[in-house]
Amino acid sequence: MHPCVFIVFSLFLLCLQNTTANQLVTLRGGGDANGVIRNKCLDKERDALLQFKANLHDPDGSLSTWRPEDDDCCAWEGVWCDSQTGHHVTDLYLSDAGLVGNSFYGIIPPEFGNLTKLQRLSLQDVGRCRVENPQWLSSLSHLKELEVDGISLAKANQWVNVILNLPKLSDLSLDGCELSQVMYPYSSSFLNSSSSSIEFLSLRNNNLTSSMYHWMFPLTSNKLRFLDLSSNMLDGIPKYLGNLCSLETLYFNNNSAVVKVPDFLNNLSSGCSFLTFQDLSIRRSQFTGSLSDEIQKFSSLSFLDLSDNQINGAISEKLWELPLLEKIDLSQNHLSGTISKNIGKSKALYINLSKNPLQGVPSTDHMSNLSYVKHIDLRSCKLGPHFPIWMKKLENLTRLDISNTSISDTVPPEFWKMKFDYLNLSSNNISGKIPDLSLILGYTPAMDLSSNNFDGPIPHLPSSLTSLNLSRNKFSGGISFLCQIVDGLLEFLDISHNSLTGQLPDCLWHFKELKILNLGHNNLSGRLPPSIRSLIELEVLYLYKNNFSGELPLSLKNCTKLNFLDLGANRFSGNVPAWIGENLSGLYGLILRSNNFFGTIPLQLCQLPNLQILDFSRNNLHGSIPSCLSNLTRMAQEGFLPPPNVHPYAFRFANFAKFNLPYPNEEEYVDHAMIEWQGDEREFTHNLGLLKSIDLSSNNLTGNIPHELTNLHELLALNLSKNALLGEIPQKIGQMKKLLTLDISRNNLSGGIPSSMCQMTFLGYLNVSSNNLSGRIPSSTQLQSFQPSSYDGNAGLCGPPLFRKCTGDEESQVPSVVCKSEGDEDWRWFYISGAAGFVTGFWIACGTLLLNHRGRRAFFHFYDSFRDWVYQEVVVFITKLRRIERM
């Protein structure tokens, strides 16, 4: 028996036919609790289990009770039998024995058909297993639930007919089973004479087109209550779905084909289904057209999600009149016009109209009638310029997002008396002071008031805060309010870009859940407090541009989950601690620029395998550049790695279940940093995770440039300028072909410019000025494209682009020696074929993930960053080709 069986059986959870004590007997050691000896299990089922174990890898002996000499398999660990069915095996539950989570591949064996009394069979996500002949399923006539998600059925011809032979089957889940590849999913003659008992049907993530509706028809009946067709390529639904009189839920998310909303609703309401229909979700699809009055037919509808589509026009007034509709999400569409006054008739608890060009709301009287609403999201709608005073009448409102809504006003005092779990007023032009909120906001609140004009001191805040963003305002005074947030729930704190003063209080022991701490761009001063050791979950510490001073406290090494540390533009001093390299192994960004650090660069930094941004510029460091920096593998690693600068987190609410949100509230923090780039200081945000750079400029470093640095083939920026470096430019510097910017100016370098630099065809900024370089500048389109100022201050350099001619050059003759990069003649074909291979490989690898709802959010973060990376690569590729053309 194939080892794939191992994981299959480990995920069995068989429903018991009866649940009373006298009907269900748990067999252990051959007897029950009273010592009564029971009959043995059936031989064929015992043999099937022994065959299963024979191919297992069980180093811990989890199935040591499964022995051939033991005739009673009902006494084996994890085996349950039902005495009412003649001691048939009805349940195999092996997860407690540590057998879940292994990955197998191969064919699901037909021996499963011997377990004829199985009621629930779950083979979800077990690896690369497949079913080639599904006929063994026909023996499981008692089967009620079948879940084979992730198991390939690509070769399982006539699987539909087999399913229809299971008379008791009520739940069927075939997510990600490659159903689109099945050549003969059914026998047409059989379909006409069959009926289905299925109540729950999920066919997600199968690349199905609308041609599948023919074979899906016999799987549907008036018993069907739940249908999930998400993550396919369907361009609509058939009218027969409208005739399913028990259908309550339809998921149609993430379908890539264009669908018109009126046609979809018309087909769904063509029969009796609209009388029972309750939940409709078609998120992230390609729906177009308007939300028509057809929606009024669905009088039982309680949940409607049409978010992230291309729906346009006005919202049907009939929507707000649906009597049972509780949750409405129309966000991220192209809806326009004003919100109908009929919104006041709605009994919805959750309303999300965000990211639509809606022009505002009706009168206060209509909006104040939303007495049931608990959550309103009008983000990026146009509500301003006045603050919407109607909100103060919504007594049940606990979650509000009116960010980026063109409000230019003050907040009415009555508004601050409302109890919110979540409040977002960010990206407006709201001014004024904030009152004491310590006793007003709801339990475990999250608050975002960033990017406004609030001023004055930060007031007392609730002790149970989970997230607080007050950045980019005009707050002043100290930050002692932090000591009042004592419940230990805070995960996110950003008070950057204000005018805050004073010291960071020594009360950080309350913040053991804190992941993001951003205090940058203020006037804070003093030493970092010892209690910083308590920030054991901290991922990001951003203190850029303050007046913090003193040595870095040893207690900071307890923050072992740090992956981004920016202490730049302060007055920190002392040696760069060696424990950074020894304890903070997860760092990808280490920025200590513009401080007063002295001493040498510790060799322990070479132990940071994830480091891709190293900035020690503008300090007082001396000594040589460690050659072991070549061990920074992230700077040498080829290929694309998911960027580390996006930190997703979810708001935690004590009353989440009571509030009954349709989705958890997920947010993300994107790291940003000020980086010197091509001679200018620039802020990197979303693209920061793609940057790979070393900046050691403006120090007192001496010695040679280590030739080992040329092994950092993925480095994009190298700045060693304004030091006292000696010797020659490494001859193999041309191996750093990805470099976009190179600055080694204002040193004491000597010798010539290596000819290998002709290979650095991506180079967009070069500065070797103010050294002691000599000789002819190698002739290439690349090196001659820079301004003469890039080479100034080197009396011995000659040749274009300098006007100084080299010895032996004739007055009218331009040097004709052209420096070619290795393999120039093959570049065009290499990149053309490589691009084709890349596109194919990318979609094969990532297409499935794109259609997987569990990993979708992570995928789109990946996609956004990957798009930036591809753009960068295409730009430099085109630049490279153009330069080759000119050569």
Side-chain angles (χ1 to χ4, degrees):
M1 188 174 292
H2 198 277
C4 184
V5 183
F6 164 59
I7 192 65
V8 167
F9 272 92
S10 70
L11 294 175
F12 272 147
L13 183 60
L14 305 172
C15 296
L16 303 179
Q17 187 173 12
N18 302 289
T19 57
T20 57
N22 63 337
Q23 292 174 320
L24 179 64
V25 182
T26 303
L27 304 176
R28 290 290 183 269
D32 60 18
N34 298 318
V36 178
I37 302 299
R38 295 179 296 273
N39 295 329
K40 300 176 183 178
C41 64
L42 300 181
D43 288 342
K44 66 176 181 178
E45 296 185 358
R46 172 181 168 276
D47 292 342
L49 294 176
L50 286 175
Q51 291 177 7
F52 159 66
K53 183 189 176 182
N55 293 314
L56 287 183
H57 180 60
D58 184 20
D60 298 326
S62 300
L63 298 183
S64 58
T65 60
W66 292 30
R67 299 187 301 270
E69 60 271 19
D70 189 346
D71 292 337
D72 189 5
C73 67
C74 293
W76 294 353
E77 183 70 26
V79 179
W80 296 69
C81 299
D82 186 353
S83 61
Q84 300 300 310
T85 61
H87 292 280
H88 282 279
V89 175
T90 58
D91 195 348
L92 289 173
Y93 188 70
L94 306 182
S95 61
D96 288 342
L99 302 179
V100 174
N102 298 273
S103 179
F104 290 87
Y105 60 91
I107 301 175
I108 302 293
E111 283 82 2
F112 287 157
N114 292 336
L115 304 176
T116 57
K117 298 299 180 180
L118 289 181
Q119 299 179 27
R120 183 171 185 265
L121 176 58
S122 177
L123 314 179
Q124 293 179 310
D125 301 319
V126 298
R128 294 177 295 172
C129 295
R130 65 186 186 274
V131 172
E132 293 192 349
N133 186 350
Q135 293 301 322
W136 56 267
L137 279 168
S138 300
S139 302
L140 308 182
S141 59
H142 293 272
L143 200 62
K144 296 180 180 179
E145 300 179 23
L146 177 60
E147 301 171 350
V148 289
D149 300 352
I151 303 297
S152 174
L153 299 180
K155 297 183 178 180
N157 289 324
Q158 299 187 7
W159 67 267
V160 174
N161 306 91
V162 174
I163 294 299
L164 292 174
N165 267 326
L166 302 176
K168 296 183 179 181
L169 189 66
S170 61
D171 288 17
L172 176 62
S173 183
L174 304 178
D175 298 347
C177 292
E178 300 181 334
L179 296 181
S180 62
Q181 300 182 31
V182 182
M183 295 186 63
Y184 306 105
Y186 62 92
S187 169
S188 56
S189 59
F190 185 83
L191 294 186
N192 296 328
S193 60
S194 302
S195 60
S196 172
S197 60
I198 296 175
E199 299 179 16
F200 177 103
L201 177 60
S202 182
L203 303 174
R204 299 175 60 255
N205 192 19
N206 279 291
N207 294 323
L208 296 170
T209 63
S210 293
S211 61
M212 55 82 68
Y213 287 128
H214 181 62
W215 58 253
M216 192 184 78
F217 174 72
L219 297 176
T220 63
S221 70
N222 280 335
K223 295 181 181 179
L224 189 66
R225 300 171 55 196
F226 178 97
L227 177 61
D228 192 344
L229 301 177
S230 300
S231 302
N232 286 293
M233 299 182 291
L234 304 172
D235 60 2
I237 57 173
K239 285 191 174 182
Y240 70 72
L241 290 186
N243 295 319
L244 303 179
C245 299
S246 297
L247 188 62
E248 298 175 353
T249 300
L250 174 61
Y251 289 167
F252 204 82
N253 306 316
N254 296 286
N255 270 283
S256 57
V258 175
V259 184
K260 294 183 178 179
V261 176
D263 294 344
F264 187 90
L265 295 179
N266 184 61
N267 285 354
L268 194 57
S269 62
S270 61
C272 55
S273 64
F274 68 88
L275 297 174
T276 58
F277 205 73
Q278 298 178 15
D279 296 346
L280 174 61
S281 180
I282 50 177
R283 289 182 291 140
R284 288 181 176 169
S285 292
Q286 300 294 321
F287 275 65
T288 62
S290 61
L291 182 54
S292 62
D293 289 347
E294 198 77 19
I295 195 68
Q296 67 182 320
K297 293 183 179 179
F298 298 89
S299 57
S300 299
L301 196 64
S302 64
F303 174 73
L304 176 65
D305 187 348
L306 307 180
S307 63
D308 202 357
N309 281 281
Q310 301 176 37
I311 304 172
N312 54 31
I315 301 173
S316 171
E317 295 188 2
K318 304 298 182 181
L319 174 69
W320 309 112
E321 299 176 4
L322 294 176
L324 302 179
L325 190 58
E326 294 184 348
K327 301 165 191 171
I328 305 168
D329 193 343
L330 306 180
S331 62
Q332 300 188 66
N333 279 286
H334 303 292
L335 299 169
S336 58
T338 58
I339 301 173
S340 168
K341 63 182 181 180
N342 278 4
I343 192 173
K345 299 179 181 180
S346 176
K347 297 181 179 179
L349 304 177
Y350 175 99
I351 298 176
N352 189 346
L353 306 179
S354 65
K355 298 185 178 180
N356 282 288
L358 293 168
Q359 297 293 325
V361 296
S363 67
T364 299
D365 292 337
H366 294 106
M367 295 300 294
S368 60
N369 289 333
L370 291 171
S371 57
Y372 296 93
V373 71
K374 295 183 177 181
H375 179 131
I376 293 181
D377 191 342
L378 300 176
R379 179 181 10 156
S380 300
C381 297
K382 298 179 181 179
L383 303 184
H386 301 297
F387 196 92
I389 60 176
W390 47 265
M391 293 181 184
K392 65 183 181 181
K393 296 186 178 182
L394 305 182
E395 297 179 354
N396 291 315
L397 187 64
T398 57
R399 291 172 58 86
L400 174 65
D401 190 338
I402 52 174
S403 60
N404 191 31
T405 52
S406 304
I407 297 174
S408 182
D409 201 354
T410 58
V411 179
E414 298 85 359
F415 177 82
W416 295 117
K417 297 179 182 179
M418 301 179 70
K419 291 186 176 294
F420 291 105
D421 284 335
Y422 175 80
L423 174 63
N424 192 340
L425 306 180
S426 66
S427 302
N428 283 292
N429 190 28
I430 304 173
S431 57
K433 294 178 172 55
I434 301 176
D436 186 337
L437 301 180
S438 59
L439 301 177
I440 297 177
L441 289 178
Y443 185 70
T444 60
M447 183 166 63
D448 188 347
L449 307 181
S450 62
S451 300
N452 279 290
N453 286 310
F454 290 108
D455 59 13
I458 297 177
H460 296 316
L461 296 171
S463 62
S464 56
L465 275 172
T466 61
S467 175
L468 177 63
N469 192 343
L470 303 179
S471 65
R472 301 182 187 273
N473 278 283
K474 298 178 180 179
F475 290 111
S476 58
I479 56 175
S480 60
F481 73 93
L482 293 177
C483 297
Q484 299 161 355
I485 307 175
V486 297
D487 287 4
L489 302 176
L490 191 68
E491 293 188 15
F492 178 93
L493 176 62
D494 188 348
I495 52 177
S496 63
H497 292 273
N498 282 287
S499 300
L500 300 170
T501 58
Q503 297 186 355
L504 181 60
D506 192 17
C507 59
L508 302 183
W509 52 77
H510 300 305
F511 300 150
K512 293 182 179 180
E513 298 295 326
L514 192 64
K515 295 181 179 179
I516 312 294
L517 177 58
N518 189 342
L519 308 178
H521 298 272
N522 281 290
N523 296 312
L524 299 170
S525 59
R527 295 174 175 267
L528 298 184
S531 59
I532 202 168
R533 71 171 65 245
S534 301
L535 307 182
I536 56 177
E537 295 294 327
L538 196 66
E539 299 175 6
V540 176
L541 179 58
Y542 188 91
L543 305 181
Y544 186 83
K545 206 170 185 180
N546 279 282
N547 291 307
F548 289 110
S549 60
E551 298 183 357
L552 297 186
L554 186 63
S555 56
L556 188 60
K557 74 176 186 179
N558 284 5
C559 305
T560 56
K561 293 189 178 181
L562 271 174
N563 57 38
F564 186 72
L565 178 61
D566 191 342
L567 308 180
N570 280 282
R571 294 190 293 117
F572 290 112
S573 59
N575 290 290
V576 176
W579 51 257
I580 291 180
E582 296 169 343
N583 293 79
L584 308 183
S585 59
L587 281 178
Y588 83 89
L590 176 58
I591 301 176
L592 305 181
R593 69 193 305 256
S594 301
N595 278 285
N596 298 317
F597 289 106
F598 52 81
T600 60
I601 299 175
L603 300 180
Q604 288 81 357
L605 294 181
C606 301
Q607 301 174 19
L608 298 173
N610 299 309
L611 194 66
Q612 63 183 62
I613 301 172
L614 175 62
D615 190 346
F616 286 176
S617 62
R618 301 181 186 177
N619 280 283
N620 299 309
L621 301 174
H622 65 265
S624 60
I625 300 174
S627 60
C628 64
L629 289 180
S630 61
N631 294 334
L632 301 176
T633 54
R634 187 90 179 203
M635 299 184 185
Q637 231 168 8
E638 294 186 8
F640 178 77
L641 296 174
N645 64 315
V646 178
H647 306 267
Y649 61 96
F651 294 136
R652 299 179 302 167
F653 296 98
N655 60 345
F656 186 86
K658 179 180 179 181
F659 190 76
N660 199 23
L661 280 176
Y663 315 111
N665 199 86
E666 295 181 342
E667 296 289 343
E668 66 182 28
Y669 176 81
V670 180
D671 295 331
H672 56 94
M674 301 302 297
I675 301 290
E676 186 168 322
W677 182 261
Q678 299 188 350
D680 297 320
E681 190 174 64
R682 302 182 184 180
E683 184 175 27
F684 282 68
T685 53
H686 284 84
N687 53 359
L688 182 67
L690 302 174
L691 181 63
K692 297 181 180 181
S693 69
I694 294 177
D695 190 346
L696 304 178
S697 63
S698 301
N699 281 285
N700 300 309
L701 299 173
T702 57
N704 296 332
I705 299 176
H707 67 87
E708 289 87 353
L709 288 186
T710 63
N711 293 325
L712 300 178
H713 298 160
E714 296 298 304
L715 201 65
L716 301 180
L718 177 61
N719 191 345
L720 305 178
S721 65
K722 301 175 185 176
N723 280 288
L725 298 173
L726 302 169
E728 298 184 347
I729 301 173
Q731 291 299 309
K732 294 184 178 180
I733 194 171
Q735 294 180 163
M736 307 174 77
K737 297 180 181 180
K738 294 290 185 69
L739 271 183
L740 302 176
T741 175
L742 173 62
D743 191 344
I744 51 177
S745 64
R746 300 190 184 184
N747 281 286
N748 296 313
L749 299 173
S750 57
I753 296 178
S755 60
S756 67
M757 289 185 66
C758 296
Q759 302 175 31
M760 303 171 70
T761 53
F762 290 178
L763 202 60
Y765 177 84
L766 173 66
N767 193 346
V768 298
S769 65
S770 301
N771 280 288
N772 298 313
L773 300 174
S774 59
R776 183 189 300 276
I777 298 173
S779 298
S780 71
T781 303
Q782 179 68 20
L783 296 181
Q784 272 66 51
S785 67
F786 298 109
Q787 295 295 320
S789 58
S790 297
Y791 303 95
D792 281 350
N794 293 280
L797 278 181
C798 61
L802 296 177
F803 298 105
R804 186 184 308 113
K805 295 186 180 298
C806 298
T807 303
D809 289 346
E810 296 183 7
E811 288 294 326
S812 60
Q813 186 175 3
V814 177
S816 59
V817 178
V818 176
C819 175
K820 284 192 175 183
S821 299
E822 183 178 342
D824 278 350
E825 64 277 6
D826 297 325
W827 276 357
R828 289 180 178 82
W829 287 114
F830 171 78
Y831 278 103
I832 290 171
S833 61
F838 160 75
V839 171
T840 303
F842 173 76
W843 285 111
I844 288 175
C846 297
T848 302
L849 179 60
L850 176 62
L851 300 176
N852 186 336
H853 78 290
R854 297 175 183 171
R856 186 171 301 118
R857 183 175 180 86
F859 173 80
F860 281 110
H861 289 314
F862 171 90
Y863 167 74
D864 288 340
S865 299
F866 190 83
R867 179 184 58 190
D868 292 341
W869 178 77
V870 170
Y871 174 77
Q872 168 190 296
E873 293 294 309
V874 169
V875 168
V876 295
F877 162 58
I878 292 175
T879 302
K880 191 172 189 177
L881 286 182
R882 287 176 177 171
R883 285 172 176 157
I884 295 172
E885 297 274 351
R886 293 198 296 266
M887 294 171 62

